[in-house]
Amino acid sequence: MTLTADSPPPVMPVQATTAILPQRGPGDRLSALFWRHPNVLLAALLILPLAWLGIVYLGSLAALLLQSFYSIDEFSGQIVREFTLRTYLELLRPANMDIIIRTVSMAAAVTLGAAVIAFPIAYFAARYARGHWKALFYLGVMLPLWSSYLVKVYAWKLILAREGIITWAADAVGASAVLAAILSLPVIGGTSLSTSYLGTWLVFLYVWLPYMILPMQAALERVPQSMLEASADLGASRWQTFRTVIFPLAMPGIIAGSIFTFSLTLGDYIIPQIVGSSRRFIGQAVYQLQGTAGNIPLAAAFAVVPIVIMLIYLTIARRKGAFDAL
């Protein structure tokens, strides 16, 4: 074939080549399996947490419930593993009922006090705090949670003691008679604040207050500013706006915070052990019955009481939309 200057160069045939792929390992095959079947990946991620929840958590609760239907032989002190409701009937004794009523009353008082104190703090943070002030608010609320629980309780015991700073401050300002009058009250009083129900309430309130502030602040931030402006345009006073707009919309946050304060107070036994009188709460009764007395069935029956109370409380809170504010 004769080539001229204007003719194109000849086209050489192209040989087909086969791409060399790296050999697939077990990890590649497993990744492909998860990609094709995402439900398998979801099951693999959840199997260990669900196993822990089912075996350790729910299993222990089932064992606790089962133990509460046993009884103890008063002569030998041995557990009688026969189904009976006699242990629950023991909860109706006056001494045991006093423990239950005392604990529930303290939990309700702590929850109410936390709601009253936390609301203005949460409202200021939600409506007025901006920038660095907002960061300072979160730091101030969260900072007490970073310190040791026992350190805080023992510090409050020293603060509330007869020789503590509160007594010293009352003497300095001439209010010792007021403090003595408070301590002489029949229910909440005592020889000093550290041995009174009032002191126990103050320590509970200090320790659990952040758990009330944060859900309440989150709920108040969800209140639209336009609704407050519309209330003002319609001639409502500030009190009417608070009563008809702010408070109903903030109620889920209040209930959400009360879940923490109420339940944590119900089950706590360290604070009443360190601060307060010798009268027991449910947590102390459970600790002493299963430890010192060895009456595990009655301890289990006492432990079931807060569970039942919180199940009822959570059912009501769910209907009020409290879980949306968590």
Side-chain angles (χ1 to χ4, degrees):
M1 181 176 60
T2 305
L3 296 177
T4 62
D6 297 333
S7 61
V11 178
M12 302 298 294
V14 179
Q15 297 180 354
T17 58
T18 304
I20 300 176
L21 299 177
Q23 186 178 3
R24 299 182 62 186
D28 296 327
R29 290 193 291 268
L30 187 62
S31 177
L33 174 64
F34 289 154
W35 182 78
R36 294 189 183 95
H37 305 282
N39 291 332
V40 177
L41 175 60
L42 181 62
L45 292 175
L46 294 179
I47 187 170
L48 289 179
L50 290 178
W52 178 89
L53 181 64
I55 297 174
V56 178
Y57 183 72
L58 297 180
S60 62
L61 287 180
L64 175 71
L65 183 62
L66 181 63
Q67 291 281 348
S68 67
F69 289 107
Y70 294 156
S71 62
I72 191 168
D73 193 316
E74 296 180 357
F75 295 98
S76 63
Q78 299 295 320
I79 298 176
V80 180
R81 300 183 182 278
E82 296 178 357
F83 185 86
T84 180
L85 294 177
R86 189 174 65 182
T87 304
Y88 282 100
L89 292 178
E90 291 185 22
L91 295 178
L92 300 179
R93 293 180 178 179
N96 295 332
M97 283 300 299
D98 287 344
I99 295 175
I100 296 174
I101 295 173
R102 185 180 305 118
T103 306
V104 175
S105 301
M106 178 61 72
V110 171
T111 300
L112 181 61
V116 172
I117 296 176
F119 193 92
I121 300 174
Y123 185 81
F124 175 82
R127 291 295 168 187
Y128 299 103
R130 296 291 184 272
H132 296 295
W133 287 105
K134 179 79 76 172
L136 186 63
F137 161 77
Y138 284 115
L139 181 62
V141 172
M142 299 295 293
L143 190 60
L145 300 178
W146 299 344
S147 59
S148 171
Y149 175 82
L150 284 176
V151 170
K152 291 185 291 186
V153 176
Y154 275 109
W156 269 99
K157 183 177 179 62
L158 295 177
I159 293 172
L160 300 174
R162 184 183 293 274
E163 300 82 9
I165 188 174
I166 293 182
T167 304
W168 173 83
D171 294 338
V173 299
S176 56
V178 177
L179 180 60
I182 295 175
L183 293 176
S184 64
L185 295 175
V187 177
I188 65 175
T191 57
S192 67
L193 286 174
S194 63
T195 58
S196 64
Y197 284 145
L198 179 60
T200 308
W201 178 80
L202 287 173
V203 179
F204 271 130
L205 185 63
Y206 168 79
V207 173
W208 307 139
L209 184 61
Y211 296 97
M212 176 66 79
I213 295 177
L214 294 177
M216 193 179 296
Q217 184 260 346
L220 287 170
E221 281 192 343
R222 297 191 183 102
V223 178
Q225 183 66 28
S226 59
M227 297 189 68
L228 304 181
E229 295 173 354
S231 178
D233 292 341
L234 292 174
S237 62
R238 291 186 176 181
W239 167 248
Q240 290 175 327
T241 301
F242 171 79
R243 183 171 53 86
T244 59
V245 179
I246 298 176
F247 187 75
L249 294 177
M251 182 57 67
I254 298 174
I255 298 176
S258 68
I259 293 173
F260 294 106
T261 57
F262 192 81
S263 62
L264 292 173
T265 306
L266 277 181
D268 193 279
Y269 74 95
I270 296 178
I271 291 178
Q273 189 80 14
I274 298 174
V275 181
S277 64
S278 59
R279 296 176 181 176
R280 295 184 298 173
F281 287 73
I282 289 179
Q284 293 172 287
V286 173
Y287 177 77
Q288 295 172 3
L289 286 171
Q290 64 86 27
T292 306
N295 193 343
I296 296 180
L298 185 56
F302 262 115
V304 170
V305 173
I307 295 176
V308 174
I309 293 175
M310 287 311 302
L311 285 176
I312 298 173
Y313 196 86
L314 290 174
T315 302
I316 299 174
R318 182 180 179 183
R319 293 181 179 178
K320 297 293 184 179
F323 291 166
D324 297 334
L326 291 176

